[in-house]
Amino acid sequence: MSGFKKASKSQAKLRAAFFGPSGAGKTYSSLSIAEGLSNGGGIAVIDTERGSASKYADRFSFDVLDLDDRSISGYIEAIKMAADAGYAVLIIDSLTHAWQQLLEEVERLAKAKYRGNTWSAWSEGTPLQRRLVDAILDFPGHIIATMRSKTEWQTSSDAGGKARPVRVGLAPEQGKGVEYEFDLLMEISTEHIGNVIKD
């Protein structure tokens, strides 16, 4: 354990998460903000969305890792690679795939070891999720993570009073309480409007 020292705001690193439905602008917003944060230190993107970040390569300068191994271990290894390479900003696009893989792993564990009892299988699943969160929080630079949100259709009336279907995003597809791990949490709507939920 080291001794106490004077706190300095300049030492703090951003931990931001953006969530919203497909097409809301999570990747573009992340790259735009990362560009302002990087201060010439380089931007890395862990892309689990099958090359979607690279569509913006003509607008932003960044390095990308197309992550095929979407397990918790795969994410952690990629985060460590970015840390070792010294990137100023790391974008994880998206964290939702890690959650989906973890749910599948918990289901597999429940069937194989716990007689179908998913509750008991989370005794192994929760520490895996914690390892991922710790890897994110331990990254020495700024982190921006995107998450898909569950989508629902609702009926809304337009200016003329005519009913039309509207797609809305709900909660992020990630573990319960993940919002506590980030300094900034922003929901982005299908109209590309950001609503800062936590800052």
Side-chain angles (χ1 to χ4, degrees):
M1 182 188 311
S2 60
F4 290 97
K5 62 182 178 181
K6 182 79 174 162
S8 167
K9 196 167 186 174
S10 64
Q11 296 169 339
K13 301 298 180 186
L14 178 67
R15 301 292 182 251
F18 303 152
F19 72 96
S22 174
K26 300 180 293 293
T27 305
Y28 183 89
S29 299
S30 298
L31 286 164
S32 185
I33 290 172
E35 191 172 59
L37 287 171
S38 69
N39 201 18
I43 300 166
V45 178
I46 298 172
D47 189 343
T48 67
E49 298 282 351
R50 294 175 173 82
S52 70
S54 295
K55 293 173 185 168
Y56 301 108
D58 60 335
R59 294 182 164 210
F60 304 99
S61 177
F62 60 94
D63 295 339
V64 66
L65 171 67
D66 290 313
L67 190 65
D68 295 322
D69 178 4
R70 295 179 182 91
S71 67
I72 299 286
S73 296
Y75 274 83
I76 292 171
E77 184 180 344
I79 293 167
K80 187 177 182 326
M81 283 172 57
D84 291 345
Y87 289 101
V89 186
L90 174 61
I91 298 170
I92 304 172
D93 186 29
S94 97
L95 268 182
T96 296
H97 291 103
W99 180 245
Q100 291 168 344
Q101 289 282 348
L102 183 59
L103 292 176
E104 289 174 17
E105 176 66 10
V106 166
E107 201 61 41
R108 188 192 64 75
L109 285 167
K111 288 177 183 168
K113 291 175 71 175
Y114 297 100
R115 298 182 193 168
N117 187 330
T118 308
W119 180 263
S120 295
W122 275 106
S123 66
E124 294 185 48
T126 299
L128 287 172
Q129 175 76 349
R130 187 72 243 165
R131 281 183 55 219
L132 175 59
V133 168
D134 286 344
I136 291 168
L137 297 179
D138 290 342
F139 181 75
H142 304 290
I143 286 249
I144 302 171
T146 70
M147 296 177 277
R148 295 176 178 182
S149 64
K150 297 173 182 135
T151 307
E152 191 174 275
W153 289 90
Q154 295 178 349
T155 305
S156 177
S157 298
D158 63 18
K162 189 173 182 177
R164 65 181 184 91
V166 178
R167 186 173 55 143
V168 294
L170 303 173
E173 288 187 57
Q174 240 297 327
K176 187 172 70 173
V178 74
E179 63 273 12
Y180 292 105
E181 310 298 346
F182 295 96
D183 308 315
L184 175 71
L185 185 66
M186 183 166 67
E187 179 179 15
I188 305 177
S189 72
T190 52
E191 291 79 27
H192 315 301
I193 297 170
N195 176 28
V196 176
I197 294 169
K198 174 188 174 186
D199 71 4

